[in-house]
Amino acid sequence: MTQIALLGFGVVGGGVAKVLTENQDIIKKRASEEISIKYILDLRDFPDSPFCDRIVHDYDTILSDPDIKIVAEMMGGSHPAYEYTKAALLAGKSVVTSNKECVAKFGQELLSIAAENGVRYMFEASVGGGIPIIRPMINDLSPNNIISIDGILNGTTNYILTKMTQDGSDFSEVLSDAQAKGYAERNPSADVEGLDAARKIVILTALATGIRLDSDAIYCEGITEIDPTAIALAESLDCKIKLIAHFEKIDGKLLSMVSPRLVPSDNPLYAVDDVFNGILVSTDMLGDVMFYGRGAGMLPTAGAVVADIIDIVTHKTVGEGIRALSWKIADGNEADFSSYRCDRAFTVRGDIEDVKKYFGEPSRYFIEDGKISFTVKNMSEAEADAAVRNVSLINKFRML
Ligand code: HSE
């Protein structure tokens, strides 16, 4: 039997207990032994939970117990999750986590401490909720160069944008709904302002390149400015607005960013609605590959945490199973954002001749109620910034 400890008994922690209980037979078969929760660390007591006898409030109880070989960290946030993870790894315990903030900020250090101590640090649940993406990036795509990644990586914002588009729902009402469903972060500004997606694209970029960018330093724009005029612009161009996390290389340097984009109906990410995430990875040998599934929520995320636990139980010797990772912190590897080029869409007030003068010949345009909506191909950030200074801007979007 393997005994484990859970750090945090919120949405994901509660889900891990549920998955381990409800699917214990199949998990025992696949892990070749029983996996049992010995401790749950939380500030609260949960007197009505069947797990109330496992609740502890002192982390030292877990750290000092030699029976605990695996710690599942689902506290969220950087602190004390980082300190607790580090202490567990130094004590010779493997750690699995759903905590994207901790992986994005401290991944390279925690991976190296794990390697030095002959244990594992695993984080399948940190990106894409229940979608298998971390393990395929590490193992299955390892013969490929990753050319680009485009991902809908935040379930809460995709849920909000879908409801705003399909039902004309109000932003704040749908956000409350997403919170009630357990999709949103404790502080949902991380979702709606794009930071959660930024952390996730930083993790995928590190898997693709071995270099860990600073998630607070990459370009990051959320969905708080999306209004009915923006949704109407998208619809009239046969697109949907999605919060897209993007990675590519520009002249060998790394460009990772998050922003709302217009996704045309012929792009596979167009059909990714509600809480689902979709991750389109473009590679040199395989070509394009798409990962799709539930990107947030209790059981999908918990299932990914439990998959990592089973992986550790079934590969007791470090070096077996998943390939070991070693990341470096970015040091001059960041691309200049102003040189990033993509297709773009704008709505402005004014004259079509001004549009042509400042933006070049549009690839499409239409005029409605004195407003001109148009698209342009392959325009850089610097060119777009310069052009919009000359017009009365209503909306601007990058396109996929
Ligand atoms: N708040 C996150 C989301 C949870 O909505 O995607 C999963 O990481």
Side-chain angles (χ1 to χ4, degrees):
M1 178 170 74
T2 294
Q3 303 205 76
I4 67 167
L6 311 186
L7 309 187
F9 203 40
V11 173
V12 184
V16 167
K18 196 170 158 69
V19 171
L20 284 171
T21 307
E22 290 188 8
N23 280 4
Q24 59 182 312
D25 293 344
I26 192 78
I27 289 170
K28 185 173 174 186
K29 233 183 236 168
R30 292 187 179 150
S32 304
E33 60 186 279
E34 193 182 324
I35 297 173
S36 159
I37 299 170
K38 185 166 182 185
Y39 303 112
I40 300 173
L41 182 79
D42 204 288
L43 295 170
R44 301 159 290 180
D45 279 322
F46 301 95
D48 301 328
S49 162
F51 292 91
C52 62
D53 57 334
R54 332 275 166 98
I55 301 282
V56 294
H57 302 302
D58 181 0
Y59 187 43
D60 282 338
T61 311
I62 295 168
L63 267 190
S64 60
D65 186 336
D67 290 345
I68 297 295
K69 301 279 188 263
I70 303 173
V71 171
E73 185 273 299
M74 295 148 304
M75 310 172 81
S78 288
H79 306 287
Y82 160 72
E83 288 79 8
Y84 283 11
T85 300
K86 192 168 167 176
L89 297 171
L90 288 168
K93 302 176 194 301
S94 289
V95 176
V96 303
T97 188
S98 56
N99 187 335
K100 48 265 159 137
E101 184 172 340
C102 214
V103 180
K105 278 196 183 148
F106 307 109
Q108 82 292 337
E109 183 191 352
L110 296 171
L111 283 165
S112 110
I113 295 173
E116 282 159 18
N117 288 273
V119 291
R120 291 189 171 85
Y121 180 53
M122 298 183 76
F123 42 88
E124 182 61 65
S126 66
V127 181
I131 306 173
I133 176 67
I134 303 290
R135 207 172 266 99
M137 288 282 293
I138 297 173
N139 282 353
D140 307 274
L141 298 183
S142 59
N144 291 268
N145 284 295
I146 307 297
I147 297 161
S148 66
I149 302 173
D150 283 297
I152 295 171
L153 297 182
N154 183 269
T156 301
T157 46
N158 205 37
Y159 184 75
I160 294 172
L161 290 171
T162 301
K163 297 287 173 214
M164 286 174 77
T165 303
Q166 287 178 353
D167 314 333
S169 306
D170 173 72
F171 182 99
S172 49
E173 263 172 37
V174 200
L175 173 58
S176 308
D177 189 16
Q179 285 176 292
K181 287 188 154 78
Y183 301 158
E185 299 301 299
R186 216 173 326 165
N187 176 0
S189 65
D191 294 297
V192 298
E193 285 166 15
L195 191 50
D196 180 74
R199 291 169 182 147
K200 291 167 176 168
I201 194 67
V202 160
I203 295 172
L204 295 183
T205 302
L207 292 172
T209 65
I211 295 168
R212 205 268 295 162
L213 298 168
D214 177 355
S215 55
D216 292 325
I218 69 171
Y219 181 83
C220 180
E221 184 188 327
I223 64 160
T224 51
E225 303 291 313
I226 306 296
D227 62 10
T229 70
I231 288 172
L233 170 66
E235 279 171 358
S236 57
L237 291 167
D238 196 22
C239 293
K240 283 183 193 163
I241 302 175
K242 300 285 180 193
L243 186 68
I244 299 291
H246 176 76
F247 158 76
E248 68 175 50
K249 285 187 183 168
I250 302 178
D251 298 330
K253 299 212 169 187
L254 312 187
L255 185 283
S256 296
M257 59 179 287
V258 174
S259 75
R261 293 207 188 210
L262 300 192
V263 179
S265 61
D266 59 358
N267 187 296
L269 293 174
Y270 179 90
V272 178
D273 281 335
D274 292 306
V275 74
F276 286 82
N277 283 189
I279 307 149
L280 193 55
V281 183
S282 172
T283 75
D284 57 353
M285 297 295 145
L286 170 63
D288 287 354
V289 57
M290 168 110 165
F291 300 85
Y292 171 80
R294 285 184 187 274
M298 182 194 230
L299 295 178
T301 312
V305 173
V306 175
D308 278 347
I309 295 171
I310 295 173
D311 197 317
I312 293 169
V313 172
T314 51
H315 297 109
K316 289 213 166 29
T317 309
V318 173
E320 283 177 4
I322 203 160
R323 182 169 60 86
L325 299 172
S326 143
W327 292 349
K328 290 193 176 66
I329 301 180
D331 182 13
N333 314 80
E334 302 91 339
D336 170 14
F337 181 61
S338 66
S339 63
Y340 171 62
R341 307 191 83 86
C342 64
D343 296 350
R344 294 165 197 270
F346 301 87
T347 302
V348 302
R349 273 182 218 290
D351 197 277
I352 186 64
E353 291 313 314
D354 280 343
V355 166
K356 289 180 181 169
K357 179 169 162 197
Y358 297 117
F359 293 81
E361 194 63 40
S363 33
R364 288 173 65 182
Y365 78 88
F366 55 89
I367 302 175
E368 210 172 71
D369 301 332
K371 294 178 286 190
I372 311 165
S373 297
F374 60 97
T375 59
V376 282
K377 291 212 170 294
N378 199 32
M379 187 181 222
S380 74
E381 293 295 323
E383 288 161 358
D385 285 348
V388 297
R389 275 187 220 120
N390 299 296
V391 291
S392 168
L393 183 73
I394 298 173
N395 277 309
K396 66 177 167 115
F397 278 103
R398 299 175 188 87
M399 301 184 75
L400 264 193

